[in-house]
Amino acid sequence: MKKSDVQRNKSQAGIEIGVYTFGDVIQDPLTRRAISPKQRLEEIVAAAKLADEVGLDVFGVGEHHRLDFAVSATPVVLGAIASVTKQIRLTSATTVLGSSDPVLVFEDYATLDLLSNGRAEIIAGRGAFVESFPLFGYDQADYEKLFSEKIDLLLQLNAKERITWNGSLRKPLIDVEIAPRPAQQALPIWVGVGGTQESAIRAGTLGTNMAMAILGGEFARFKPLVEVYREAGSRAGHDQEKLQIAVTSHGYIAKTSQQAMDEFYPYYANYYKHFMRRSGRDSNITFGDFEQLVGPDQGLFVGSPQQIIEKILRQHELFGHNRFIAQIDIGGLPYSKVAAAIELLAAEVAPVIRRETGYIHQ
């Protein structure tokens, strides 16, 4: 068994803590200035380097194909991060698999795994943003079928050096070599789940890990997804201990609750308004709305270290999940505030969560 596999087995009992980014490039609502995509990418690499140095467990990078995001080539960005980090695990967040070639996805992340000494992972999802489908020549009417076929192919690529595969939406593969092989025995693959039980059942049936995006509302409503995921995995004969669950959420942490609220609100409201406007819906979030969204039973993680700890542990009681990763850098939030939040997360939240949930940090 490889060292990286041993490390993963040791971590099953508790919660890993990390951060992720989509790399949005939005005007700062306070200064009315926007940074360049170049600076945004540099700050993403800097944030990952900092997260590694302060001892967080995971860093994720998302994928979009539009001008208000700096990241479209996620494996390239993760490769840059791999060159300046040593321990932190590196994952997509998420790979829009329906508009991607699974062979190329596997080759990219196997290469990343070799370069990072066994730290690469994939979160594969259907994608809430669908601009990549026409961009890469896919029919959005095949949205569901594309993901179903491609996750099947990706899992087979991950399992075998040579495969024969046949589907209805791409040409078959006949006894082809799949190279390179990753440093790990197999790449950890997660299926990203929004709020549908069908997605959770599919992840459990396939035996993949499941990453739940809990971006708002009462988080208890996601418990049925965890239940059907584990039930589906059990019916399919998968080892329950190997079915990992992650929670991904927007979040921000500061020394006090009031500081966290005051600092994050303008950027969260800016982010929300920007993307609602892009989707044709104009929406403003008042500070009163925001206060309700960060309540103790709500999915938005904003507050003091103690509040973040309590919310993670409350979710752990419901879900028994293995990973929590927060998206901090949204809406034009300055890098100085992102860095301060990462340091607090590592120094004051992660040690308590690890102790309380029995996670062995490497």
Side-chain angles (χ1 to χ4, degrees):
M1 182 177 288
K2 299 177 184 179
K3 182 180 178 182
S4 56
D5 296 326
V6 172
Q7 290 175 344
R8 295 297 299 160
N9 289 340
K10 284 182 178 180
S11 72
Q12 303 295 312
I15 298 181
E16 298 171 305
I17 302 292
V19 291
Y20 71 104
T21 179
F22 286 168
D24 61 273
V25 184
I26 303 177
Q27 186 182 78
D28 185 314
L30 302 183
T31 67
R32 301 300 178 187
R33 293 193 297 269
I35 64 175
S36 67
K38 179 180 183 295
Q39 183 178 343
R40 188 71 166 97
L41 288 170
E42 290 171 347
E43 291 182 354
I44 287 171
V45 174
K49 186 173 185 291
L50 174 62
D52 183 54
E53 290 171 346
V54 297
L56 291 183
D57 303 296
V58 189
F59 193 89
V61 178
E63 170 195 348
H64 292 86
H65 301 269
R66 43 195 279 181
L67 290 173
D68 47 4
F69 291 95
V71 181
S72 57
T74 303
V76 176
V77 179
L78 289 172
I81 291 170
S83 71
V84 297
T85 57
K86 297 178 180 178
Q87 298 292 331
I88 198 163
R89 297 194 65 80
L90 307 174
T91 184
S92 63
T94 66
T95 297
V96 184
L97 194 60
S99 60
S100 303
D101 177 358
V103 176
L104 184 57
V105 168
F106 179 80
E107 289 179 345
D108 284 345
Y109 283 86
T111 301
L112 173 66
D113 202 53
L114 293 169
L115 290 171
S116 65
N117 193 28
R119 293 187 280 135
E121 303 187 8
I122 299 170
I123 300 177
R126 293 179 296 174
F129 292 74
V130 294
E131 71 277 352
S132 59
F133 287 82
L135 183 64
F136 296 119
Y138 291 98
D139 187 343
Q140 200 173 320
D142 295 327
Y143 179 81
E144 185 64 38
K145 191 172 184 180
L146 280 164
F147 183 80
S148 181
E149 279 201 5
K150 289 185 176 189
I151 189 65
D152 172 69
L153 175 54
L154 181 61
L155 293 176
Q156 291 195 42
L157 296 167
N158 198 29
K160 295 178 284 189
E161 292 183 359
R162 303 185 71 95
I163 75 163
T164 294
W165 180 90
N166 189 36
S168 63
L169 297 174
R170 66 159 289 164
K171 290 184 178 180
L173 300 171
I174 308 299
D175 193 30
V176 295
E177 291 183 333
I178 305 302
R181 304 311 298 174
Q184 300 174 86
Q185 185 175 357
L187 294 172
I189 295 178
W190 306 68
V191 166
V193 174
T196 67
Q197 291 200 6
E198 292 79 9
S199 295
I201 291 168
R202 171 166 38 212
T205 302
L206 292 172
T208 69
N209 300 324
M210 180 175 72
M212 297 190 298
I214 304 180
L215 304 181
E218 292 187 8
F219 54 72
R221 64 194 171 92
F222 284 81
K223 187 175 182 181
L225 297 186
V226 173
E227 292 171 345
V228 298
Y229 166 68
R230 291 191 170 127
E231 288 168 3
S234 180
R235 285 196 304 270
H238 300 297
D239 185 346
Q240 289 288 308
E241 292 186 0
K242 294 181 179 179
L243 296 177
Q244 303 284 288
I245 296 172
V247 169
T248 70
S249 298
H250 293 146
Y252 185 70
I253 180 173
K255 284 291 185 180
T256 69
S257 172
Q258 194 62 52
Q259 181 186 354
M261 297 274 290
D262 291 343
E263 291 181 353
F264 194 60
Y265 165 69
Y267 297 96
Y268 181 80
N270 188 43
Y271 183 84
Y272 189 85
K273 183 176 181 179
H274 176 86
F275 290 108
M276 288 298 100
R277 186 169 60 244
R278 281 292 302 259
S279 65
R281 294 174 289 171
D282 231 345
S283 181
N284 293 311
I285 293 181
T286 68
F287 193 81
D289 296 333
F290 183 65
E291 286 181 309
Q292 293 184 9
L293 291 171
V294 303
D297 297 317
Q298 301 295 306
L300 187 57
F301 279 73
V302 178
S304 66
Q306 186 58 37
Q307 288 174 309
I308 302 301
I309 289 167
E310 290 172 359
K311 187 171 284 190
I312 292 174
L313 292 178
R314 193 174 295 115
Q315 285 193 347
H316 190 250
E317 290 177 359
L318 280 176
F319 308 140
H321 57 302
N322 312 87
R323 176 177 290 182
F324 170 77
I325 53 176
Q327 185 182 3
I328 294 170
D329 62 339
I330 65 173
L333 187 71
Y335 177 72
S336 60
K337 295 189 184 300
V338 174
I342 287 173
E343 290 176 338
L344 268 180
L345 187 64
E348 299 194 26
V349 175
V352 177
I353 297 300
R354 290 169 183 152
R355 183 179 68 245
E356 293 297 317
T357 63
Y359 174 70
I360 301 174
H361 179 60
Q362 301 298 319

